[in-house]
Amino acid sequence: MQFPESWLREFCNPPLTTQELADTLTMAGLEVEELQPVAPPFRRIVVGEIKEAAQHPNADRLRVCQVDVGQPELLNIVCGAPNARAGIRVPCAMVGAELPPGEDGKPFLIKVGKLRGVESHGMLCSARELKLSEDHGGLLELPADAPLGQDIREYLKLDDTLFTLKLTPNLAHCLSVYGVAREVSALTGAPLKALQFPEAAAAIDDRLPVRVSAPDLCGRFSGRVVRGVNPRAQTPQWIVDRLARCGQRSVAPLVDISNYVMFEFGRPSHIFDLDKIHGGLDVRWGRAGEQLKLLNGNTITVDEKVGVIADEREVESLAGIMGGDATAVSDDTRNVYVEAAFWWPEAVAGRSRRYNFATDAGHRFERGVDPELTVEHIERITQLIVEICGTPETALGPIDDQRVNMPAQNAVRMRVARAAKVIGMPLTQAQCADALRRLGLSVREEEGAVTVLPPSFRFDLRLEEDLIEEVARVVGYNNLPTNPPLAPITPKLRAESRRSSFAVRRELAALGYQETINFSFVEERWETELAGNAAPIRLLNPIASHLSVMRSSLLGSLLQVLKFNLDRKAGRVRVFELGRVFLRDAGVQGSDSSVEGYAQPMRVAGLAHGAADALQWGRKDKAVDFYDAKGDVEALLAPLRPTFEPATHPALHPGRCARVLLDGKAIGFVGELHPQWRQSWELPAAPVMFELELDAVLQRKVPAFRAVAKRQFVERDIAVVVAERVTHDEVMGAIAAALPGELLRSAVLFDVFRPQPPRAGESAPAGALAQGEKSLAMRLTLGSDSAALTDTEIDAAVQTVLQALAQQTGARLR
C-alpha cells in the first residue's frame, strides 16, 4: 500500500514529523516499509512561459526561446525539445539553479552558456530531467493557469513523502488512505475528518435490471445509471498526481475516478458502458466453458467456482476482480452504469491466481471490504463524474441498492485479566475500553470484561485474541515492560558418552568432505531406484511437480550435488549431509515433535568421487575406491570399532557393498554406486558412498584411565594359509577370542599372498598354495602388566592362536 503523506494529512493531521508518523504506524502493526521523497532535491526551478520560439540560426533542431518567469525582462534560452513553442508554460531552471543529481551523485549546476553561438540564460526542463518520470518526449507542459515565477516544487507539491506500508492480511481496513487516517487518529488522538457524501438529485428514472442469483457470492449490489457523460474530458492534474504517487498510472477520466475512490476509501468499483450491456445483469457463478476477454487483454475460461457478472448474451465481468473488455468505457461512451458491490471474501480469494494475475480489487475483496458504504461511495464517484466528465446533457438515475446477504455482526467478549496476562503488563478495564473506543468500536462494559460489536469494516475481529491485539496496538508496543523472563536456569548437559552433531561435521570436514544442505522432498524416481521404496510418502502440495515425495534416504540428494558439480567441470567431489529422512512407522505416536505413523530419524551420508588425494606430488594419482570410504567410516566412528559384512543395497554395487555394524547392530551401508545408476546419471566414474544412522555415530566411549605399560611388548609374526572365502573379520575374531584381552595387545594383517596359476606344462612346486587359497601374514603384539612374558608363555600364546584359527577358519601354518 503506497500513498503520499499530504493525502493522509488531509484526513488526519497529527502534530508529528514524517519520521515520527512512520514510527507510530510501524509500532502499531502497520509496518512502514519505505519512506521515499516524491521528487529528488533541486532548486531555483520556476514556472515559465515561452513567449517566442524562433529557429536557431545555426542549428536545425534548436530553438531560441524568450521565456517569461515573472521578472521584468524575458530570459533568452536555447532549447532542443520538439514541443518548445510559444504559449506553453513549462519548468524553467534559471542561472544558478541545481538540477537533480546525476549518476555521479553530484547536482547539475545551470550557468550562462553558448549553444552554437547563441547565449542561453537557463534551461527548460522535461519531466525526466527533473526525475519526476521517465517521459523524455519533450518539455513538461504545465496548465495555462500556473503562476509565473512560482517555485515548481511548491506548484507541483513536490515536497511530499511517499509512505509504503507492508500490511498483514488482517489489516484490510487499512488498504485505503482514509483507513490509515482512521488508525492514525486512534493512535495519536488527532481529529479525523468527517466524511460527507452529498446525495445527488436524480433527474431521470432509468434503472438497469440486476438479478443477484448467487447470494453466497454477492451480499450487496448497488448501481446507478449516468447518461450524457464526456469520456474525453481531461483528468485533473491533482488526481493524476495522487494516482501516480499510489503507483497507478492515469488511463482515462472514468477509469481514473474509479481508481481514485478505491485508493481513497478502499472500495473497488466498476464503470460499465451502459449501451454495451444487453438487457440486464445477472450476478452468478460461472458455467463450465464460458469465456471472457478481460480488460488486460487476456481471454479466460471460467467454471462453476468463479463468480461473474453476465448480461443476457455473455459474461461481462469477473466478479470482484476485473471487468471485461466488451463493456469497457471508451472515447465513444456516452452513458455509463456505476457499480459498487460487496463480494464475500471466500468467493473471491484465490480466483485471480488461477489465471496467473492479480488486481488491486481482488487484493481488497479477498480480505474484506466494508459492505455498508456501497451507496455512499457511488455518490462520491457520481460527484467526481459530474465535476470532471459532466456535460449540460448529464442526467443521473436513482441508486438501485440490493441487500441480499449481508454479513452478521457477532459480539466479541474480552476479559481484562486475560488481556493483561497475554500482553504482559497490568491493565485496567478503563484502559481497555478507551483503547477500543479510540478505534471506533462500540464497547459495552461489564464486571471484569468488555464486549465489542465490530463495525462493518473490521472483518478481522472475531476472537478474544483479536481484541487483545487491538488493545496492545493502541496502548503501544513500545510501552510494554521490558522485564527479563523468569525461569529456572538448569543447564542441559549432554551425556559424556555422546558427542554433538557439530563434532561429526567437524570430523567429516577434517576428512576432506564439504557439507551440503538439500530439500527433504525429492523426485519419486530417486526413491524407487536408490532406496527401493515403492510407496514413498507423497506431498499434498509440492513446491514443484518433480519434488513430490519425502525422502527415505540421503543418497539421491548427494548424487544430485555430484551431478551439479561434475556438470561444472569439478574434478574431485567429496560432500556430506546431516539430514532427516521420513519413513512409514505405525508405531510412532503423534506429539509436538512427531507425526503419528511416520518416523523421522536423522542420518549422516557422504559421497566421494574423483581422486583419492587432493592435488599433490608425493605419490601417484589413484581414484577413490571402496576402501577409502570404508576408512572414512572407521575414522568417523573412532574410537568405536565397527565391523563390516557383505550386503546388498538398491543403490550400491552388488559385490562392492558392505553393511556397517556397531556392537553387532546394523547402522548403515558403505559401497560403490551401482553400475546401472552410474549409467543412468551419466557419471564418468562410480562414486563411493555411505549412509549411517546419526544416533549411532554420536556414540563414543567414555575415556577411562589405564596405566602405561612398564614392560616392553613382544611381537610375533605368523603366516597362515586359509581358503579364499575366509574373511579378514573372521580371522581377527578368532585371534581375539583365543587370548585374553590383557595378553593380546593387537593383531595386524600386514601381508596377503595369492598364488599365480602355473603355466601350461608346468606343475606346481611342492608345498605351494593351491588354487582358491591365500596366505595371510599377521603380527601379534603380546604383553602383560603383571610380569615379563617368558618364552614358554609366548610360544603357548602363539600356539593357542594357531589352534583357534585352525578350528574356526580351517587355517594351517604356512
Side-chain angles (χ1 to χ4, degrees):
M1 173 67 184
Q2 178 180 298
F3 57 87
E5 179 185 3
S6 59
W7 197 0
L8 174 65
R9 290 187 182 272
E10 281 190 9
F11 293 119
C12 182
N13 188 14
L16 301 175
T17 64
T18 299
Q19 188 60 53
E20 290 172 342
L21 179 58
D23 293 342
T24 299
L25 289 171
T26 297
M27 291 308 298
L30 284 73
E31 180 186 352
V32 179
E33 191 174 30
E34 184 181 11
L35 289 176
Q36 183 180 1
V38 168
F42 56 79
R43 65 184 186 89
R44 293 204 68 185
I45 301 177
V46 300
V47 177
E49 181 179 357
I50 302 177
K51 294 295 185 180
E52 297 180 11
Q55 184 65 44
H56 192 290
N58 301 319
D60 294 338
R61 297 187 178 181
L62 297 179
R63 290 180 176 82
V64 180
C65 302
Q66 301 299 313
V67 182
D68 182 4
V69 293
Q71 295 181 351
E73 296 182 358
L74 299 179
L75 300 180
N76 191 72
I77 298 177
V78 179
C79 178
N83 63 334
R85 64 188 187 276
I88 63 171
R89 298 196 176 190
V90 296
C92 177
M94 300 187 295
V95 174
E98 289 184 357
L99 265 64
E103 294 181 358
D104 57 358
K106 298 180 181 179
F108 183 75
L109 185 64
I110 300 298
K111 302 177 182 178
V112 177
K114 280 189 176 182
L115 293 175
R116 295 289 184 95
V118 177
E119 207 169 61
S120 180
H121 294 263
M123 174 180 173
L124 303 182
C125 304
S126 67
R128 186 175 181 182
E129 288 161 340
L130 298 180
K131 294 192 175 179
L132 301 181
S133 73
E134 292 300 317
D135 182 14
H136 196 49
L139 301 176
L140 174 59
E141 298 189 27
L142 303 174
D145 59 352
L148 293 177
Q150 185 177 14
D151 191 289
I152 202 71
R153 297 191 71 90
E154 179 182 350
Y155 176 72
L156 294 179
K157 298 180 181 179
L158 300 180
D159 293 321
D160 201 352
T161 303
L162 297 181
F163 277 60
T164 302
L165 302 187
K166 187 178 181 181
L167 299 176
T168 53
N170 64 311
L171 295 175
H173 61 286
C174 295
L175 286 170
S176 65
V177 178
Y178 189 79
V180 176
R182 188 164 44 207
E183 289 289 310
V184 172
S185 176
L187 297 169
T188 64
L192 179 67
K193 180 181 177 181
L195 294 179
Q196 295 181 354
F197 300 99
E199 184 177 345
I204 57 177
D205 194 32
D206 293 3
R207 298 173 185 263
L208 180 68
V210 177
R211 181 175 71 254
V212 180
S213 301
D216 55 338
L217 167 66
C218 179
R220 185 178 184 181
F221 195 95
S222 306
R224 159 179 275 167
V225 172
V226 181
R227 295 190 178 276
V229 298
N230 176 20
R232 303 189 183 189
Q234 185 173 5
T235 304
Q237 190 62 38
W238 59 274
I239 289 185
V240 174
D241 291 342
R242 283 186 172 176
L243 288 176
R245 293 171 190 180
C246 289
Q248 179 72 48
R249 65 181 180 88
S250 175
V251 179
L254 291 171
V255 178
D256 293 344
I257 290 170
S258 177
N259 288 333
Y260 180 83
V261 175
M262 178 182 68
F263 287 114
E264 186 176 35
F265 298 123
R267 164 78 57 192
S269 58
H270 188 60
I271 300 178
F272 294 85
D273 188 324
L274 181 63
D275 299 325
K276 296 179 181 178
I277 298 176
H278 308 97
L281 296 179
D282 185 12
V283 181
R284 58 174 174 81
W285 293 105
R287 297 165 186 157
E290 286 185 321
Q291 290 192 332
L292 168 65
K293 184 177 181 182
L294 298 169
L295 290 174
N296 62 7
N298 294 346
T299 299
I300 63 172
T301 301
V302 302
D303 57 24
E304 296 85 352
K305 296 182 179 180
V306 179
V308 299
I309 302 175
D311 61 16
E312 294 179 355
R313 295 187 185 178
E314 58 188 347
V315 176
E316 301 294 359
S317 177
L318 200 58
I321 299 175
M322 185 180 288
D325 181 70
T327 54
V329 295
S330 65
D331 289 348
D332 298 325
T333 298
R334 294 296 298 162
N335 307 306
V336 297
Y337 180 73
V338 182
E339 165 263 316
F342 165 67
W343 306 98
W344 285 97
E346 297 82 1
V348 178
R351 269 53 175 191
S352 62
R353 288 185 286 277
R354 293 178 58 182
Y355 303 109
N356 298 320
F357 68 87
T359 64
D360 288 325
H363 182 75
R364 286 163 171 78
F365 278 124
E366 67 184 6
R367 285 160 174 77
V369 174
D370 187 357
E372 291 295 337
L373 296 178
T374 57
V375 172
E376 289 79 358
H377 290 166
I378 287 181
E379 294 287 4
R380 173 60 171 160
I381 294 172
T382 301
Q383 177 189 0
L384 293 174
I385 290 177
V386 172
E387 290 179 2
I388 299 170
C389 302
T391 66
E393 294 80 22
T394 299
L396 308 178
I399 295 180
D400 182 21
D401 183 27
Q402 300 185 51
R403 303 167 66 101
V404 293
N405 185 20
M406 298 292 284
Q409 294 178 319
N410 298 318
V412 183
R413 185 173 180 269
M414 183 190 76
R415 295 162 291 174
V416 176
R418 172 67 176 166
K421 182 178 180 180
V422 172
I423 295 175
M425 65 181 292
L427 290 170
T428 65
Q429 184 166 323
Q431 283 179 296
C432 294
D434 176 66
L436 296 173
R437 287 192 177 101
R438 285 167 60 182
L439 290 168
L441 308 180
S442 174
V443 179
R444 186 179 73 253
E445 297 186 50
E446 57 184 88
E447 184 63 31
V450 295
T451 301
V452 169
L453 187 64
S456 56
F457 59 86
R458 293 303 300 268
F459 278 77
D460 58 310
L461 300 182
R462 299 178 181 178
L463 307 173
E464 182 181 30
E465 286 73 13
D466 298 329
L467 296 184
I468 294 174
E469 180 184 3
E470 296 302 301
V471 171
R473 290 198 311 116
V474 176
V475 170
Y477 294 123
N478 52 343
N479 293 325
L480 296 179
T482 55
N483 300 328
L486 300 177
I489 302 177
T490 304
K492 188 176 181 181
L493 300 177
R494 185 170 52 252
E496 196 174 359
S497 60
R498 289 179 67 84
R499 55 181 170 174
S500 71
S501 59
F502 294 100
V504 175
R505 290 181 170 94
R506 288 191 292 269
E507 180 66 29
L508 285 167
L511 291 171
Y513 290 82
Q514 291 181 309
E515 184 176 11
T516 66
I517 300 175
N518 301 291
F519 284 131
S520 295
F521 18 88
V522 297
E523 294 186 33
E524 185 175 358
R525 177 176 62 90
W526 298 0
E527 284 296 295
T528 304
E529 297 177 353
L530 302 177
N533 186 4
I537 301 171
R538 295 188 178 277
L539 292 165
L540 294 177
N541 186 24
I543 63 170
S545 59
H546 62 288
L547 303 178
S548 58
V549 301
M550 303 299 290
R551 65 183 179 184
S552 63
S553 170
L554 305 181
L555 299 183
S557 300
L558 295 183
L559 280 175
Q560 182 189 36
V561 173
L562 171 64
K563 181 65 174 174
F564 181 88
N565 283 272
L566 292 180
D567 289 344
R568 284 150 185 82
K569 308 303 181 184
R572 183 175 184 267
V573 179
R574 297 171 77 91
V575 291
F576 77 93
E577 181 179 4
L578 267 74
R580 200 172 296 280
V581 297
F582 304 85
L583 310 168
R584 300 183 189 275
D585 187 347
V588 176
Q589 301 297 319
S591 68
D592 293 339
S593 59
S594 63
V595 179
E596 183 177 358
Y598 298 96
Q600 304 176 50
M602 292 287 292
R603 290 186 184 172
V604 56
L607 177 149
H609 180 275
D613 298 313
L615 188 64
Q616 47 81 40
W617 60 272
R619 57 181 183 176
K620 294 182 179 180
D621 289 340
K622 171 181 169 293
V624 67
D625 60 17
F626 170 85
Y627 295 100
D628 293 308
K630 176 176 176 289
D632 290 339
V633 169
E634 291 176 328
L636 179 61
L637 294 172
L640 301 178
R641 295 184 178 180
T643 57
F644 302 84
E645 64 180 18
T648 58
H649 187 281
L652 303 179
H653 194 297
R656 299 173 187 175
C657 169
R659 182 180 290 108
V660 184
L661 299 98
L662 202 59
D663 296 331
K665 179 183 177 182
I667 64 168
F669 290 86
V670 59
E672 183 181 295
L673 183 65
H674 196 292
Q676 180 181 356
W677 310 137
R678 171 195 167 186
Q679 183 178 6
S680 66
W681 285 73
E682 298 179 353
L683 302 177
V688 289
M689 315 167 74
F690 63 85
E691 184 173 18
L692 309 173
E693 298 291 342
L694 183 61
D695 283 344
V697 177
L698 297 181
Q699 298 177 23
R700 67 177 180 179
K701 287 184 177 179
V702 178
F705 171 76
R706 186 175 183 181
V708 178
K710 297 179 180 179
R711 296 169 179 81
Q712 188 172 0
F713 295 151
V714 177
E715 295 178 345
R716 289 289 184 271
D717 293 346
I718 61 174
V720 295
V721 178
V722 297
E724 186 67 44
R725 58 178 174 76
V726 177
T727 65
H728 172 262
D729 279 348
E730 291 174 342
V731 173
M732 290 302 168
I735 295 174
L739 298 177
E742 60 181 24
L743 178 60
L744 179 65
R745 301 295 175 153
S746 69
V748 178
L749 174 70
F750 65 87
D751 183 62
V752 178
F753 174 74
R754 292 182 174 86
Q756 296 291 332
R759 296 179 182 177
E762 294 183 357
S763 59
L769 275 66
Q771 292 297 317
E773 291 184 332
K774 60 184 176 182
S775 172
L776 304 179
M778 291 160 287
R779 176 163 295 173
L780 307 179
T781 303
L782 308 174
S784 175
D785 295 332
S786 58
L789 295 176
T790 64
D791 289 343
T792 303
E793 292 173 329
I794 295 170
D795 292 341
V798 172
Q799 289 301 319
T800 301
V801 169
L802 291 174
Q803 291 174 7
L805 289 173
Q807 293 174 1
Q808 298 182 30
T809 66
R812 69 176 188 275
L813 185 66
R814 183 176 176 184

